[in-house]
Amino acid sequence: MRLTRPVFVYAKKMLDFYSQFNPSPLSIKQFIDFGLNACEKKSYLFLRKELPVRLANIMQEIALLPQQLLRAPSVAMVSQWYHKSFEEIINYEKIDPTSDILKRFVGDLKGIRDRHSDVVQTMALGILEMKENHRGDMEPGMETSIQYFLDRLYMSRISIRMLINQHTILFGTHQPDPGKHIGCIDPMCNPTAVVRDAYETARFLCEQYYFGAPALEIEEHNELEPGQPVRIIYVPSHLYHMLFELFKNSMRAVMERFQHDEENIPSIKVTIVRAKEDICVKMSDRGGGIPRSQMHLLFKYMYSTAPQPQKHVDHQSNTVPLAGYGYGLPISRLYARYFHGDLCLMSCEGYGTDAVIYLKTLSDEANELLPIYNSSSRKFYEPNVPIRDWSSSSNKSRPQIMI
């Protein structure tokens, strides 16, 4: 869709305006407190300002990408999606929240969420397109800049989907069960149940490929309330996403290591611990581990030890690969870091790997970690600039949101 010049000029002006503001990070406690006394008009007034800010911040960074990447058809498509969503939201800037407007707003939010549902896969294809068109012609430092950008793009996407899901669930036509979830947050989330759900889905895929799967062992420790089951305040879908990716990796490693010893396939062990500061979910496998020299590659986009998927996916196929683009681990880590947790891997080559998901125990400390665009952001997309910030795996210091 090509915009007429007056519309384009207005959209560009609004983009520059909203990108001057920093996003307003919320904590899980703030999401919960608002959801308990949900007011649709207040949510509308907040989102019509906050969503354009979050969209504008990341759109300005998309514009800083190298031209050879921006010209990739799939990347251009993603950019168009963001522009269209931004234009739809700013249409509400000065509209009062009548009942009809609130209803239309919910519909538009659902449309934006659906439009961006394939952003991860489409960006992955865009990078493949760029690599095919510019073989051996990558500018120095481009890979580092792309890694930096994708962390920020996908973190921004997680945060925008969180805001949209909260509003559409709370005020959409299909209300959740009263007293259970508050939007997409479960104040009494049972991590063991989420572990089992993620395991069963991954086991189904594993059995399709390897005609078998490791068993699951779960153990809980509640340091704060000994003898009581562990319960957390969290977004179950986020935890499920992380666990599913980890189970896929562990199952594949175990099955390939023990392919000639099917009678002795070791279990995958999950330990859930609730302590004063963190809730830890540790997954341990005996899949042979990872050489220390390769550990730094595991959170890099486009790195995968599995065969790369076809460029054009057959949506009619009933089989889903256990691995593919290599985006599973880096995006899972973003989900963990989104509310100031983390995901870490520790490997013993020749034996197995431990993966630990850290989540904040206190909901008022679980604040959104959001990328922020400002005038200095351009330097992170220039060649030969070493990048050290919260989204860089080489940075060992405390995560930062301001760059």
Side-chain angles (χ1 to χ4, degrees):
M1 180 183 69
R2 187 176 296 277
L3 299 176
T4 62
R5 180 165 179 77
V7 174
F8 173 81
V9 171
Y10 175 74
K12 180 67 169 66
K13 179 181 177 182
M14 297 306 293
L15 179 61
D16 291 339
F17 173 74
Y18 277 103
S19 64
Q20 298 176 72
F21 300 97
N22 290 343
S24 301
L26 303 173
S27 67
I28 290 181
K29 185 177 187 302
Q30 287 175 305
F31 278 115
I32 291 281
D33 289 346
F34 178 82
L36 289 172
N37 302 283
C39 173
E40 188 170 4
K41 290 184 178 180
K42 287 183 179 179
S43 182
Y44 166 83
L45 294 174
F46 173 73
L47 291 185
R48 75 175 185 180
K49 293 293 185 184
E50 182 64 17
L51 286 175
V53 169
R54 296 193 185 194
L55 287 167
N57 268 250
I58 198 62
M59 288 166 67
Q60 293 285 32
E61 296 202 31
I62 291 175
L64 296 177
L65 290 173
Q67 284 300 311
Q68 59 202 78
L69 181 56
L70 284 174
R71 284 194 291 265
S74 295
V75 176
M77 186 182 301
V78 170
S79 180
Q80 289 172 8
W81 291 342
Y82 273 87
H83 278 85
K84 184 167 179 56
S85 298
F86 180 78
E87 290 157 19
E88 289 177 357
I89 289 295
I90 61 174
N91 285 336
Y92 289 95
E93 185 185 31
K94 298 179 181 179
I95 300 179
D96 292 331
T98 64
S99 58
D100 288 342
I101 290 300
L102 292 175
K103 184 177 180 180
R104 194 177 81 189
F105 187 66
V106 169
D108 282 349
L109 289 183
K110 290 179 179 177
I112 290 170
R113 181 183 60 202
D114 293 344
R115 179 182 301 128
H116 292 254
S117 61
D118 291 331
V119 162
V120 176
Q121 299 94 313
T122 308
M123 278 300 301
L125 291 177
I127 292 172
L128 289 178
E129 291 165 357
M130 181 198 70
K131 287 186 173 182
E132 289 177 1
N133 294 331
H134 300 274
R135 293 186 183 277
D137 192 29
M138 295 272 285
E139 295 179 9
M142 183 183 293
E143 184 176 342
T144 307
S145 295
I146 290 173
Q147 173 78 21
Y148 170 83
F149 166 75
L150 290 178
D151 271 338
R152 295 168 70 81
L153 173 71
Y154 297 143
M155 185 68 93
S156 172
R157 178 177 178 271
I158 291 169
S159 77
I160 290 169
R161 289 181 72 87
M162 181 69 188
L163 294 182
I164 289 176
N165 285 338
Q166 281 300 100
H167 186 90
T168 55
I169 293 172
L170 288 172
F171 308 113
T173 53
H174 300 290
Q175 296 294 329
D177 294 334
K180 190 177 181 184
H181 285 66
I182 300 175
C184 57
I185 300 172
D186 186 352
M188 290 293 290
C189 179
N190 181 349
T192 295
V194 180
V195 167
R196 292 193 187 279
D197 286 346
Y199 167 80
E200 290 299 330
T201 307
R203 181 180 64 84
F204 175 76
L205 296 178
C206 187
E207 288 177 344
Q208 282 187 305
Y209 271 75
Y210 298 106
F211 305 104
L216 172 65
E217 297 179 16
I218 303 178
E219 187 176 352
E220 281 192 8
H221 295 280
N222 192 336
E223 289 294 310
L224 297 185
E225 300 174 289
Q228 296 298 311
V230 174
R231 295 293 182 267
I232 62 177
I233 305 173
Y234 204 65
V235 184
S237 61
H238 290 189
L239 181 57
Y240 175 91
H241 180 99
M242 292 181 265
L243 289 166
F244 176 59
E245 291 297 334
L246 293 176
F247 272 126
K248 285 196 300 180
N249 290 341
S250 289
M251 287 181 180
R252 174 172 166 257
V254 170
M255 294 307 294
E256 292 186 357
R257 181 169 176 79
F258 288 85
Q259 58 184 321
H260 301 302
D261 190 12
E262 297 180 1
E263 298 298 320
N264 296 299
I265 295 174
S267 301
I268 294 174
K269 299 180 180 180
V270 175
T271 306
I272 302 169
V273 181
R274 179 171 178 252
K276 184 177 181 180
E277 182 175 328
D278 288 315
I279 293 162
C280 300
V281 182
K282 183 177 77 169
M283 185 182 299
S284 303
D285 68 53
R286 287 186 53 196
I290 304 152
R292 192 159 58 95
S293 61
Q294 295 180 17
M295 289 294 291
H296 72 287
L297 298 172
L298 297 180
F299 290 102
K300 288 186 177 295
Y301 296 99
M302 305 312 298
Y303 171 78
S304 176
T305 57
Q308 191 167 285
Q310 294 180 358
K311 186 175 176 183
H312 301 289
V313 180
D314 179 9
H315 296 286
Q316 303 302 315
S317 174
N318 291 323
T319 59
V320 180
L322 276 178
Y325 289 114
Y327 280 37
L329 279 176
I331 290 181
S332 294
R333 185 170 67 174
L334 292 181
Y335 273 106
R337 289 182 171 181
Y338 172 52
F339 281 121
H340 269 78
D342 208 349
L343 191 161
C344 302
L345 296 180
M346 293 156 283
S347 183
C348 181
E349 185 185 5
Y351 186 79
T353 301
D354 286 356
V356 183
I357 298 171
Y358 296 96
L359 308 175
K360 287 289 186 181
T361 298
L362 300 177
S363 60
D364 58 344
E365 293 182 357
N367 297 296
E368 291 183 292
L369 181 63
L370 304 175
I372 295 173
Y373 170 83
N374 58 34
S375 58
S376 66
S377 298
R378 188 177 299 274
K379 69 183 181 182
F380 292 96
Y381 295 93
E382 294 173 354
N384 298 319
V385 177
I387 295 173
R388 294 180 64 82
D389 84 321
W390 69 265
S391 64
S392 172
S393 59
S394 63
N395 186 16
K396 304 299 183 184
S397 62
R398 183 179 177 86
Q400 301 293 320
I401 62 173
M402 173 64 81
I403 63 168

